[in-house]
Amino acid sequence: MGFCYLSTCAIAVLESLATGAKRVAVYDFDVHHGNGTEDVLANQSGAAFFSIHQYPCYPGTGGRNIGDNCFN
């Protein structure tokens, strides 16, 4: 779901972790849930994703936390 083919934010997190960063956090403030970024980062060691959005606004996701590191 969503409008982006690539989650540049998730790509930046994965690149940061691959090149030596120990921990990276993403704070997503938007009316829409960042479901694509969440899908990429779910259970990714060293990454944390926090989404603050208007639920159940499009795409209807983000009603619960996912994995051990994605918080809605």
Side-chain angles (χ1 to χ4, degrees), residues 6-7 9-11 13-14 34-44 47 69-70:
L6 300 172
S7 173
C9 186
I11 291 169
V13 169
L14 296 177
N35 58 320
T37 303
E38 179 181 84
D39 287 346
V40 172
L41 298 180
N43 295 312
Q44 176 68 45
N69 66 328
C70 295

Side-chain angles (χ1 to χ4, degrees), residues 27-54:
Y27 293 90
D28 182 12
F29 296 89
D30 191 351
V31 71
H32 304 106
H33 176 236
N35 58 320
T37 303
E38 179 181 84
D39 287 346
V40 172
L41 298 180
N43 295 312
Q44 176 68 45
S45 180
F49 176 69
F50 303 89
S51 181
I52 299 173
H53 55 279
Q54 183 179 353

Side-chain angles (χ1 to χ4, degrees), residues 7-19 21 24 26 41:
S7 173
T8 54
C9 186
I11 291 169
V13 169
L14 296 177
E15 177 66 15
S16 295
L17 293 171
T19 56
V24 180
V26 176
L41 298 180

